[in-house]
Each structure stands twice: as C-alpha cells, then as structure tokens.
Amino acid sequence: MAGVFNKIVRKVLLIVLIGAIIFAGFKLSIKIIYPLDYKKYISIYSQKYNIDPYLVAAIINVESNFDKDACSKKDARGLMQVSPTTGNWAAKELNLKNFTLESLYDPEINIMIGSWYLDVLNEEFDSNLSLVLAAYNGGSGNVNKWLEDRKYSKDGKNLKYIPFKETNDYVEKVLYNYEKYKKIYRGTFENTSNLEETLLDKNINLFKKIFKDYLKNM
C-alpha cells in the first residue's frame, strides 16, 4: 500500500511541477510581449502630470517596446519617441538645464517629457483619449483640422474617422495595449513596494537583449 501511495504522490507532484513550468512559461511570454521597465519613472511622472501610468506604459510599448535607444526614421527618440521639436519645447517649458537631443535617450528625461506632453494634449483636447493619442502620433495641428472637417467629425469634438492610416492604427494599438497593461500589471502602481525591478524583470530584459542580438547577427 505504501508503495502505491508513494507512486500516486510522485505523480501528483510531477503534474503540479509540469503545471507550474507551463504557467511560468506563459507568464514570461506575456511579460515579454508586454514588458514593464522603468516603473519608478513612470510612477513619478504619471503622478506629476496626472496621467494613468498604465497608459504611459502602453504608449512606451507601442512606441519603442521599452528600448531606450530607439530612434525612428523621423528622428523621434527614446522610450516614448519624443521628437526633437517637442523635446526642445519641453526643455524650455520645464527649465531643463544642459538639455541636448541626446538627453532624450535618458529614460527619466524621456518619460518626464512624454508625460508632460500628454498632459499638454489632455488640456488641449479635454482629456479625450482618442484625440490625445491621435495628436501624440499625428500632431495636434492635424487633429484640429480633422475636427473642423465634416468628413471626419460630426460635432467638432470627436473623430468618426482618422484619415492617416498610421495614426488610426496607432490609436487602436495603444488602446489595446492600455487594456492589457491594466489587466497584467493590476495594482503595480498602487503599491510603491511593487516598483522595484524584480528578478523576472531583469531576466526579461536579458532575454530581449540576447534575442535582439541574435536577430541582428542572423
């Protein structure tokens, strides 16, 4: 009887172990697709500029996939892909000393400016998230033109259609990511003890770096 019981226990433990490995792998894969680095900076500047931190995280993921050294063809730089024009404007408004465009690769400065700019757009577009995101990607001047055009807006306050496909896709991607971040990282920014970088965070960053280097050398 004891031998049979031990076999059952071993099988149960094996099933539990396999389940734990599968769950850990699933959790890791989700966090690779939706990473969350620089939590402290996101927390600090989202609070300062009254922006939902999960929205900031979603924008960073869509803009740069949390690559602080990202640079677009239009020369937008860093985590939140801040343009040189916006960067210089923000530096003057925020009185940032010794600012250069290279400063946009600094995660703290980039998140500070990106969050500040979202606050500016919130004021301009009355916190209408779709308009704010469209302006972040396509420019506030374009959004204002679209709002005045009956082809794109019935009431001058909302857009029924965004004529730039890139901007339309961008808004949809950020909104989708926003919902994902709120679910996956629920409670992260509500408790300051969650803001420290964990071992899993470090392993995800390491895996991403190794994978990127591998793809470059293929």
Side-chain angles (χ1 to χ4, degrees), residues 133-175:
L133 294 176
Y136 193 91
N137 176 265
S140 59
N142 284 321
V143 173
N144 281 311
K145 287 179 184 177
W146 299 334
L147 288 171
E148 293 171 359
D149 193 325
R150 298 287 291 181
K151 287 188 296 185
Y152 311 125
S153 176
K154 289 183 178 181
D155 57 9
K157 297 179 180 178
N158 299 281
L159 290 174
K160 63 179 181 179
Y161 171 66
I162 297 175
F164 289 0
K165 185 180 186 305
E166 178 189 330
T167 299
N168 185 67
D169 291 347
Y170 175 82
V171 172
E172 290 181 359
K173 283 179 186 177
V174 173
L175 291 176

Side-chain angles (χ1 to χ4, degrees), residues 43-216:
S43 178
I44 290 168
Y45 294 107
S46 63
Q47 285 185 47
K48 183 172 182 179
Y49 296 111
N50 197 31
I51 308 294
D52 188 335
Y54 299 102
L55 176 62
V56 175
I59 289 172
I60 293 174
N61 195 38
V62 172
E63 290 284 0
S64 68
N65 194 227
F66 283 84
D67 179 0
K68 68 181 181 63
D69 299 315
C71 184
S72 75
K73 293 178 181 178
K74 295 180 180 179
D75 205 26
R77 304 181 180 203
L79 294 169
M80 298 186 74
Q81 290 291 274
V82 177
S83 71
T85 301
T86 300
N88 284 322
W89 173 34
K92 289 180 182 178
E93 292 293 320
L94 299 174
N95 195 27
L96 298 181
K97 296 179 179 178
N98 303 317
F99 175 84
T100 68
L101 291 182
E102 290 302 301
S103 302
L104 293 175
Y105 294 116
D106 181 301
E108 180 173 10
I109 295 214
N110 192 279
I111 291 172
M112 177 198 304
I113 290 176
S115 299
W116 169 83
Y117 185 45
L118 286 171
D119 184 41
V120 170
L121 294 175
N122 268 333
E123 281 196 38
E124 183 173 359
F125 296 104
D126 198 26
S127 297
N128 183 317
L129 183 54
S130 293
L131 296 184
V132 168
L133 294 176
Y136 193 91
N137 176 265
S140 59
N142 284 321
V143 173
N144 281 311
K145 287 179 184 177
W146 299 334
L147 288 171
E148 293 171 359
D149 193 325
R150 298 287 291 181
K151 287 188 296 185
Y152 311 125
S153 176
K154 289 183 178 181
D155 57 9
K157 297 179 180 178
N158 299 281
L159 290 174
K160 63 179 181 179
Y161 171 66
I162 297 175
F164 289 0
K165 185 180 186 305
E166 178 189 330
T167 299
N168 185 67
D169 291 347
Y170 175 82
V171 172
E172 290 181 359
K173 283 179 186 177
V174 173
L175 291 176
Y176 181 80
N177 272 256
Y178 184 27
E179 292 304 315
K180 288 293 185 182
Y181 272 92
K182 285 191 289 186
K183 289 178 182 178
I184 296 168
Y185 295 99
R186 182 173 52 191
T188 295
F189 293 101
E190 289 73 18
N191 186 344
T192 55
S193 65
N194 292 329
L195 300 180
E196 294 295 332
E197 190 177 21
T198 66
L199 183 61
L200 179 59
D201 294 330
K202 293 176 182 177
N203 286 335
I204 288 173
N205 294 338
L206 179 61
F207 176 83
K208 284 165 57 183
K209 185 178 185 305
I210 292 172
F211 187 63
K212 281 182 181 179
D213 290 342
Y214 172 75
L215 289 178
K216 285 179 182 178

